[in-house]
Amino acid sequence: MNNTQEEPLVSIITINYNQAAVTHEFLASTKLLVYTHFEIIIVDNGSTATPVLEVDPLEYPAVKIIRSERNLGFAGGNNLGMEHAAGEYCFIVNNDTELTPLLLNHLLEPFRINPTIGVVCPKIRFHHHPTVIQYAGFYRMNLLTGRTGAVGSREEDLGQHNTSGYTYSAHGAAMMVKREVIEKVGRFAEKFFLYYEESDWSARILRAGYKIYYNAQGLIYHKESISIGKDNPVKVYYLTRNRILYMRRNTNPAQLSLFLLFFTFVSLPKGIVRYAVKGQFAHLRSFLKGTFWNLTTSRYSAV
């Protein structure tokens, strides 16, 4: 066992929402971790399904379950977890992931080398296609379109992204954050609820003078589907709404004006035609609702 007196405590924070079996699979992977000085905080985020998530304290003595009576979303759920975290580092990670044994060791290493690093992310591969990359860093946000993409997305991993380095944004599925950053920058902006919240947080962290680092030696497997499924209306609503909200919060007036022109004359008509032609009228209503939400709602978020 490692000498925990010399090692920083890592708070592993994950959210459970009606996925007790998936969360137990995640917990099983934590047993393989070589780094042992950690606590696990599971936020049960307004789950209504049965069976209710229960964890044997004898099998998982480091686990603490925080129950929320309502679904706080990705942003609010992780913020609640951070409120209860005691660690010097918070590892925010999806419950539909499986950890590899040396993951925490690799994620902690860059912090020791460079004090300006505030966030470290591992390489993410798809669990059901374990040689295919989901994330090897993020490209810079396109301030005209309000969109970005993951480096290496859907590429077979042949070692082409094995060089670690700075990146433009953390990935919400697996990101280790130094407590100093949380205290200085704050937590996720809860107004996002889900989607774009890690992009907004990353932008704020970078503006505060910290760096975001992609560590290629760290590896995690994500059970998200490799194929792009059909957007459901809820997803369309939040992606549309938060794309605009992100731009409102993270651009100067000139940049925002150009984006709004692009969205009004390209994205908006394209989206209307797309959903109308496909007969996806629930999607169309969500798209318009997400768009016009920004006309009546402040960009300010308390967290």
Side-chain angles (χ1 to χ4, degrees):
M1 186 169 178
N2 294 323
N3 185 352
T4 57
Q5 289 184 339
E6 297 179 1
E7 293 175 336
L9 176 66
V10 175
S11 297
I12 300 173
I13 300 170
T14 195
I15 293 174
N16 176 75
Y17 178 65
N18 295 330
Q19 290 182 314
V22 173
T23 300
H24 276 285
E25 291 172 0
F26 166 81
L27 287 174
S29 75
T30 67
K31 289 183 174 182
L32 304 176
L33 289 170
V34 172
Y35 192 90
T36 58
H37 195 201
F38 62 83
E39 63 174 359
I40 302 173
I41 297 172
I42 303 173
V43 177
D44 192 51
N45 210 12
S47 295
T48 56
T50 53
V52 175
L53 177 67
E54 299 289 348
V55 176
D56 184 348
L58 296 179
E59 185 176 9
Y60 295 105
V63 171
K64 180 192 302 181
I65 298 178
I66 308 298
R67 301 196 188 274
S68 172
E69 293 304 313
R70 61 188 181 91
N71 184 353
L72 303 172
F74 181 89
N78 279 301
N79 283 351
L80 180 59
M82 282 185 268
E83 282 183 28
H84 289 84
E88 187 178 337
Y89 297 90
C90 290
F91 180 41
I92 295 165
V93 59
N94 279 19
N95 70 323
D96 63 341
T97 60
E98 290 193 8
L99 314 186
T100 54
L102 289 171
L103 178 62
L104 296 186
N105 303 73
H106 288 308
L107 292 179
L108 285 167
E109 185 178 359
F111 292 111
R112 299 182 177 120
I113 297 170
N114 186 345
T116 68
I117 292 175
V119 184
V120 179
C121 293
K123 179 187 289 181
I124 304 175
R125 292 193 202 145
F126 291 99
H127 180 269
H128 299 303
H129 299 267
T131 62
V132 179
I133 297 170
Q134 182 181 17
Y135 168 88
F138 264 121
Y139 294 109
R140 188 192 296 270
M141 181 70 71
N142 186 321
L143 296 184
L144 179 64
T145 65
R147 286 178 171 157
T148 185
V151 176
S153 177
R154 294 177 174 78
E155 295 178 12
E156 189 78 17
D157 192 354
L158 303 175
Q160 69 274 37
H161 298 295
N162 280 358
T163 301
S164 302
Y166 302 118
T167 187
Y168 292 104
S169 180
H171 197 297
M175 55 188 298
M176 185 176 283
V177 187
K178 188 161 50 176
R179 175 166 294 279
E180 172 190 317
V181 172
I182 299 169
E183 292 172 350
K184 182 174 179 180
V185 178
R187 291 166 284 155
F188 287 112
E190 294 188 7
K191 186 160 282 187
F192 284 90
F193 195 74
L194 74 160
Y195 299 123
Y196 275 86
E197 66 284 296
E198 78 265 47
S199 297
D200 177 83
W201 203 24
S202 294
R204 289 157 50 207
I205 289 169
L206 291 172
R207 285 198 297 271
Y210 295 100
K211 292 180 170 62
I212 300 171
Y213 194 82
Y214 159 67
N215 190 334
Q217 283 66 54
L219 178 64
I220 192 169
Y221 293 96
H222 191 192
K223 295 176 183 177
E224 180 176 293
S225 174
I226 190 173
S227 61
I228 302 175
K230 292 182 178 178
D231 289 343
N232 61 56
V234 173
K235 184 175 181 180
V236 169
Y237 169 72
Y238 281 110
L239 280 175
T240 304
R241 190 191 88 164
N242 292 347
R243 176 185 174 190
I244 301 170
L245 178 61
Y246 171 88
M247 296 298 289
R248 291 170 62 203
R249 286 172 54 87
N250 294 288
T251 57
N252 62 42
Q255 292 166 338
L256 181 59
S257 297
L258 286 174
F259 166 75
L260 291 176
L261 285 171
F262 176 86
F263 188 89
T264 301
F265 294 105
V266 178
S267 299
L268 185 59
K270 182 180 178 181
I272 292 171
V273 170
R274 171 190 171 193
Y275 294 123
V277 168
K278 291 183 177 181
Q280 296 178 315
F281 297 108
H283 294 66
L284 177 57
R285 286 192 294 272
S286 292
F287 177 69
L288 294 173
K289 181 181 177 183
T291 298
F292 290 107
W293 175 91
N294 283 276
L295 296 179
T296 59
T297 308
S298 167
R299 67 181 182 177
Y300 174 75
S301 184
V303 178

